[in-house]
Amino acid sequence: MNKWTRRAFISAGVVVGGGILVGVAMRPGNRIAGLQDAVAGDGETLVHAFIKIDQDNIVTVISPHSEMGQGAQTALAQMAAEELDADWEKVRIEEAPALGDYSTYTLGRGYLLKDVPLPGAVIPTIDGVMMRVSNALNAQITGGSLSIRATGQYGMRVAGAATKDMLKQAAADAWGVPIDQIETEKSMLLHRASSRTEPYATFATAAAEMTPSYNPRLKEIGDFSIIGQSVERQDIPGKVDGTAPFALDVRLPDMVYATTRRAPVFGGTVVQIDDTEARQMASVIDVITLPSDASEDMIGGYGPTGESVAVVADSYWTALQALETLTIEWDSKGLDSVTSETIFEKHASDLTAGTGREHDLSQGDIDAAFEGAPTVIEAEYRVPYLAHTTMEPPNATAHVTGAAAEIWVGCQNPLGFRRKIATALDMNEDQVTLNNTLMGGGFGRKSVPDWAVQAALISKAIEKPVQLIWSREEDVRQDYYRPASTSRFRAALNNSGNPQGWQNTYVNKQEPVEAPLIPYAVAAKDIGYIQSPSHVPWGAWRSVDESQHGFFTESFIDECAHAAGQDPYAYRAALLSDHPRMKAVLDKAAEAADWGTPLGEGRGRGIAVKESFGSIVAEVIEVTMINGDVRVDRVVAVIDAGVAITPDGIKAQVESGIIYALTAAIHGDITIEDGAVAQSNFYDYEMLRMSTAPRIETHIINSGHDIGGAGEPGTPPAAAALANAIFAATGTRARQLPLAKDVGFYV
């Protein structure tokens, strides 16, 4: 299935001829008829697809997005509760089931049509179109930092405001008064003239009969009382005391366990297996060969994997021990000569040839900019493949019978997983029930359903419920990796040292399309790419292509500043005159980090700024050299996400993104040897540890701009800021990651 793109969607005819295709028949209407039984229990009334109210006046917000530690469900509930004027102390949160009515249609509004002006009259039609499209694509996606800025803005706020209007109308009808005399406050309806007060629950049934507005009036920022507050997250207590249910906690009668090993060379197949020793183990139930999976999902992974061998036993430990006894002969399909070196050599030769180069941006006369320029600088950067290594390894529990299948899994696209599982089992989608659980991290890896499909196929083969658990080694060696990439730059500097020409060619275009673009004032820009594919499967990794291009572009602009003999912060600031919002973030970061204050001998500061996923983040990193090794001391981060829905949540996400990025920048390196991944666990695919983590200070700017993301934007600037700081401290310019390959780090 192809990814959504703005261009493809618009050209398909939803938006045509500068106008919007309008059709009353496409409008959603009242969507709750088929959902009441699915999501509402005894004493609960589903008033809106996203909101139900029980007889005790408890408001439950139904989130179509997964919770993987990012706190999205809390922020979404805040947005709905704000517009509903709900009593936050009586608000609860539930995750929506994997049903088509809970496909994330709002992603279309927040991504595909973000920049398209929509008259209020056509919004119901557009939402109806998006519902049909997302339902057909089985899109129930959590990723791309879109939960808050898309579903929150176009789904939850609208749901809260529409539900409030319906409740007010129901009260006005019952009391025989004009609706404009009805007030709402803390889940109560009031008519002051007659001193009447009733809880929302009184009118929930009557409100549920009405058709909600898809374009209600929303509050102004100055009227917020719940949005902008750091409220307690409802998922945290259970995670602290161990009662929070993850997929690994599922236990079914007669359940058995399984683990797998996939072909080490991607795309490989099984030639033969000697499983004699494994089958002689008393607790081993079966040894099964599973087919390869060529996944191509909207936000998931791309590229062929290989066939797998699964061992089923009465415990995970037994299955893992039995797996180690197998002797498997694999057919590597002639790919066992591929290495990281040959992949980067192919990048270099393809970049030099320039065959099939496509443009991201062509602006001004690039040839004239370089002709006679007093200074021309060139640089080449590269980054390796990266794994996701979520703390919770892939796992799923499946129970498949002849007529139905039920799956328990933590994933980022429940509807997409359900479709893949149904296809693999040769079932209709309505025969598959998917129960989504909390996740111990996702970062894009858990948008690809390969391991859940494996669990379903194993259960079908043995006719028992089975819990499949991947080892950490399987997780590291069978990922959908952040792609390795190489990027070449040339810049022409004028007599003042400012860039008058910027030329950049990189390999392998991914999402988001704007990632390689720069905000700096350069008259002539030529930014483009060539394709240089390999057999290594790739997928969404936190901040996607922004993480690579953040390192590339913010390192090279730093090189331009130093070539011009100018301060890196001042150089950037002067080139951001057309981007005042970005400059404000950069200025705040420099101020908070005491940029102008001299550091001692062997110390350095680096700075970087990047706009991504609707937010702008600037970071300043300080380092100290200790006996030739680098110690990362301090990170100052500033984020402008438009409006901070939950300030503590945004800070946590920015800090998380920085730690994730520093881990990748310092240590992250998936290398290919003999066609396969060489790394296997945390001893050779290292993480940043608590003992070496820097102090992080996060500042929030509420600019009032459109709401941006929080989970992804903290990652892109970090690698460049760190590399720039090391240059400031040592005079050595790092142009490839991980930095630990060339520089020692203090432990």
Side-chain angles (χ1 to χ4, degrees):
M1 184 180 298
N2 294 327
K3 293 179 286 184
W4 286 11
T5 66
R6 295 184 184 97
R7 179 180 299 174
F9 188 82
I10 291 172
S11 64
V14 176
V15 181
V16 291
I20 307 295
L21 181 66
V22 180
V24 173
M26 300 297 289
R27 295 180 179 179
N30 191 330
R31 301 166 54 212
I32 67 172
L35 295 175
Q36 173 74 24
D37 292 341
V39 299
D42 292 341
E44 295 180 325
T45 300
L46 191 65
V47 184
H48 186 283
F50 293 144
I51 294 174
K52 59 183 180 180
I53 301 173
D54 75 4
Q55 57 195 10
D56 295 322
N57 212 31
I58 299 295
V59 172
T60 300
V61 177
I62 302 170
S63 167
H65 290 287
S66 308
E67 181 57 63
M68 49 187 165
Q70 82 280 35
Q73 292 184 353
T74 297
L76 291 171
Q78 282 182 264
M79 298 174 85
E82 179 66 71
E83 297 293 346
L84 182 56
D85 284 338
D87 181 350
W88 180 250
E89 298 301 318
K90 295 183 178 180
V91 173
R92 304 292 180 265
I93 304 167
E94 288 183 9
E95 185 170 327
L99 297 173
D101 281 304
Y102 286 110
S103 61
T104 43
Y105 71 93
T106 50
L107 302 193
R109 289 276 304 281
Y111 175 64
L112 302 174
L113 299 179
K114 180 177 72 70
D115 300 320
V116 178
L118 297 175
V122 305
I123 287 176
T125 298
I126 292 298
D127 281 349
V129 171
M130 293 297 177
M131 288 177 191
R132 285 162 173 78
V133 170
S134 60
N135 193 350
L137 295 175
N138 278 260
Q140 195 175 12
I141 298 166
T142 302
S145 279
L146 279 164
S147 299
I148 309 306
R149 59 190 177 120
T151 298
Q153 183 69 2
Y154 303 114
M156 291 301 172
R157 289 189 68 191
V158 169
T163 300
K164 179 176 67 177
D165 289 347
M166 292 188 296
L167 289 166
K168 289 174 66 176
Q169 186 63 61
D173 291 344
W175 293 341
V177 299
I179 190 173
D180 60 8
Q181 294 182 11
I182 304 295
E183 300 177 42
T184 52
E185 182 180 323
K186 287 188 173 294
S187 299
M188 301 293 290
L189 292 148
L190 303 86
H191 183 245
R192 297 190 186 278
S194 61
S195 300
R196 296 183 194 178
T197 302
E198 290 286 350
Y200 284 175
T202 301
F203 301 104
T205 302
E209 299 294 325
M210 303 176 189
T211 297
S213 169
Y214 285 83
N215 189 33
R217 182 177 179 181
L218 303 180
K219 291 183 179 181
E220 300 294 330
I221 292 176
D223 297 327
F224 291 162
S225 60
I226 299 175
I227 288 178
Q229 302 302 309
S230 294
V231 301
E232 293 184 2
R233 282 172 47 178
Q234 295 183 16
D235 59 312
I236 296 299
K239 291 175 178 177
V240 173
D241 65 22
T243 59
F246 290 81
L248 273 172
D249 297 316
V250 174
R251 295 292 181 268
L252 301 176
D254 301 320
M255 186 180 82
V256 294
Y257 296 83
T259 193
T260 64
R261 177 173 297 156
R262 186 176 276 159
V265 177
F266 306 109
T269 55
V270 175
V271 176
Q272 61 181 1
I273 307 171
D274 181 354
D275 57 7
T276 305
E277 185 176 347
R279 289 188 180 277
Q280 289 175 347
M281 297 173 69
S283 299
V284 170
I285 296 167
D286 206 350
V287 178
I288 303 167
T289 300
L290 299 171
S292 61
D293 174 53
S295 184
E296 187 174 340
D297 297 333
M298 287 195 315
I299 66 163
Y302 301 83
T305 62
E307 290 184 341
S308 301
V309 177
V311 175
V312 187
D314 65 355
S315 72
Y316 168 69
W317 180 249
T318 302
L320 186 63
Q321 296 306 300
L323 187 70
E324 295 299 321
T325 72
L326 299 180
T327 301
I328 308 171
E329 181 183 348
W330 304 97
D331 181 353
S332 61
K333 305 300 180 182
L335 295 168
D336 50 2
S337 63
V338 179
T339 66
S340 289
E341 288 72 23
T342 65
I343 290 171
F344 281 116
E345 287 169 2
K346 186 174 186 296
H347 286 183
S349 62
D350 288 343
L351 283 167
T352 299
T355 305
R357 185 178 188 271
E358 298 283 345
H359 279 91
D360 289 311
L361 177 66
S362 180
Q363 172 187 301
D365 190 336
I366 195 70
D367 292 332
F370 280 90
E371 289 176 4
T375 304
V376 174
I377 64 171
E378 298 182 358
E380 179 177 297
Y381 300 87
R382 77 182 198 187
V383 294
Y385 294 103
L386 293 179
H388 295 80
T389 53
T390 59
M391 287 298 99
E392 176 200 25
N395 68 93
T397 302
H399 188 196
V400 180
T401 64
E406 190 164 8
I407 313 293
W408 292 261
V409 66
C411 71
Q412 293 177 244
N413 187 5
L415 283 174
F417 272 49
R418 187 183 70 160
R419 168 178 278 183
K420 286 284 189 178
I421 291 166
T423 300
L425 296 174
D426 195 24
M427 288 182 174
N428 296 324
E429 289 168 26
D430 59 7
Q431 293 177 277
V432 177
T433 300
L434 189 141
N435 306 287
N436 203 36
T437 68
L438 295 169
M439 282 175 275
F443 312 122
R445 178 60 181 98
K446 291 178 181 175
S447 60
V448 189
D450 51 341
W451 81 93
V453 170
Q454 286 182 338
L457 291 173
I458 295 168
S459 178
K460 180 180 180 180
I462 65 173
E463 299 181 340
K464 286 178 176 289
V466 62
Q467 185 171 95
L468 170 66
I469 305 171
W470 278 20
S471 67
R472 181 60 68 188
E473 288 76 13
E474 187 76 355
D475 174 41
V476 171
R477 290 172 172 165
Q478 298 297 333
D479 205 341
Y480 285 82
Y481 304 92
R482 190 190 79 168
S485 185
T486 303
S487 188
R488 288 181 179 173
F489 290 87
R490 294 173 69 222
L493 308 186
N494 62 23
N495 288 321
S496 299
N498 292 327
Q500 62 187 29
W502 178 283
Q503 195 166 47
N504 174 211
T505 305
Y506 60 94
V507 299
N508 297 330
K509 180 69 176 176
Q510 313 294 353
E511 295 282 347
V513 295
E514 65 272 14
L517 305 184
I518 60 171
Y520 303 111
V522 183
K525 299 176 185 177
D526 175 25
I527 302 172
Y529 60 93
I530 54 95
Q531 296 298 112
S532 186
S534 77
H535 76 301
V536 181
W538 58 272
W541 189 94
R542 191 173 192 167
S543 82
V544 209
D545 247 21
E546 297 283 7
S547 68
Q548 292 103 313
H549 289 289
F551 172 62
F552 298 153
T553 59
E554 283 299 294
S555 292
F556 190 61
I557 195 68
D558 219 67
E559 294 208 45
C560 292
H562 286 282
Q566 298 184 32
D567 176 81
Y569 154 61
Y571 191 79
R572 286 173 170 84
L575 295 173
L576 288 173
S577 57
D578 293 336
H579 295 274
R581 184 180 170 218
M582 181 171 278
K583 184 177 181 299
V585 175
L586 183 74
D587 290 343
K588 177 65 177 176
E591 176 192 357
D594 302 315
W595 182 267
T597 304
L599 294 172
E601 184 72 20
R603 302 196 67 210
R605 286 193 189 97
I607 193 167
V609 62
K610 194 78 171 75
E611 180 172 6
S612 62
F613 306 95
S615 295
I616 300 169
V617 175
E619 293 170 8
V620 175
I621 293 183
E622 293 180 5
V623 301
T624 299
M625 302 303 299
I626 301 177
N627 298 324
D629 291 339
V630 179
R631 183 183 69 197
V632 186
D633 299 318
R634 179 190 185 202
V635 182
V636 175
V638 176
I639 180 171
D640 177 359
V643 177
I645 304 301
T646 310
D648 279 355
I650 283 188
K651 288 183 178 181
Q653 283 298 288
V654 170
E655 291 164 4
S656 167
I658 289 168
I659 293 295
Y660 204 68
L662 291 179
T663 288
I666 296 170
H667 301 295
D669 190 14
I670 290 294
T671 56
I672 307 301
E673 297 177 4
D674 301 324
V677 170
Q679 287 71 32
S680 63
N681 209 314
F682 291 130
Y683 73 89
D684 58 2
Y685 190 72
E686 295 183 62
M687 302 282 108
L688 196 68
R689 305 302 175 107
M690 291 178 69
S691 60
T692 55
R695 182 172 84 253
I696 301 177
E697 304 162 22
T698 305
H699 305 267
I700 295 172
I701 294 176
N702 282 305
S703 65
H705 197 269
D706 292 343
I707 294 173
E712 321 258 13
T715 301
L722 176 56
N724 295 338
I726 292 171
F727 175 82
T730 66
T732 299
R733 175 67 65 180
R735 296 193 181 99
Q736 68 173 6
L737 301 180
L739 297 170
K741 271 191 171 181
D742 300 314
V743 182
F745 278 81
Y746 181 77
V747 178

